């Protein structure tokens, strides 16, 4: 796996202090997003325990895609980049993107802990931003 970035570790700190997974990834980009922390936190507030309360996409991945939408300065539509991000996140996170699957709800086998999901969200976003915004 790629080296864990300082930004990814900062996102994990946010996760441990006051944020859900989506908010943690978004807050790691607070400066670049150029919006007040209250707005960033509000934007990610509905994605705790995955979109829909563990039934949907991992909040960390949702946060990464939200940040992408605001930071993408390329001609490539964000939805195309997000498709690649989803696949890369899935590969890094044990083969899943749905929160309940990642946490092993129903199977008893956790594929990826929240801290690592947050790291993976930041890492896939960093990789894409470096490639598109150079």
């Amino acid at each position: 796996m790629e080296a864990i970035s300082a930004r990814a570790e900062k996102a994990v700190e946010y996760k441990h202090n006051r944020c859900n997974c989506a908010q943690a990834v978004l807050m790691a980009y607070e400066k670049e997003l150029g919006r007040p922390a209250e707005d960033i936190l509000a934007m990610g507030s509905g994605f705790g325990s995955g979109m829909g309360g563990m039934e949907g996409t991992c909040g960390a991945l949702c946060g990464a895609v939200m940040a992408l939408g605001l930071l993408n300065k390329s001609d490539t539509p964000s939805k195309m980049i997000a498709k690649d991000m989803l696949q890369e996140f899935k590969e890094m996170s044990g083969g899943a993107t749905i929160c309940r699957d990642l946490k092993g709800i129903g199977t008893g086998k956790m594929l990826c802990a929240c801290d690592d999901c947050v790291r993976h969200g930041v890492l896939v976003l960093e990789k894409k931003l470096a490639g598109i915004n150079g």
Side-chain angles (χ1 to χ4, degrees):
M1 181 166 43
E2 295 179 37
I4 302 300
S5 73
R7 188 186 306 266
E9 292 308 313
K10 183 67 173 171
V12 171
E13 286 180 37
Y14 281 118
K15 170 71 176 119
H16 284 268
N17 287 312
R18 61 180 177 144
C19 297
N20 67 39
C21 294
Q23 291 169 322
V25 172
L26 287 163
M27 286 299 294
Y29 289 87
E30 179 181 14
K31 180 179 175 185
E32 292 83 354
L33 294 173
R35 288 163 172 79
E38 303 80 42
D39 290 351
I40 295 168
L41 292 169
M43 185 168 53
S45 65
F47 296 90
S49 299
M51 188 168 51
M54 297 190 91
E55 296 298 325
T57 304
C58 169
L61 180 56
C62 291
V65 172
M66 284 187 271
L68 169 70
L70 294 170
L71 298 172
N72 181 11
K73 306 298 182 212
S74 76
D75 291 333
T76 305
S78 292
K79 75 176 189 174
M80 300 308 295
I81 299 165
K83 183 178 180 179
D84 289 342
M85 289 172 61
L86 182 136
Q87 195 56 42
E88 290 178 29
F89 181 94
K90 186 176 188 177
E91 290 169 11
M92 295 172 80
S93 303
T97 60
I98 304 299
C99 184
R100 75 181 298 104
D101 297 337
L102 291 162
K103 301 303 157 247
I105 306 300
T107 66
K109 181 184 177 200
M110 182 182 294
L111 300 176
C112 193
C114 288
D115 286 1
D116 286 332
C117 287
V118 167
R119 287 181 184 104
H120 297 166
V122 170
L123 291 173
V124 298
L125 178 57
E126 283 183 342
K127 181 178 176 182
K128 293 303 175 188
L129 290 175
I132 61 173
N133 295 342

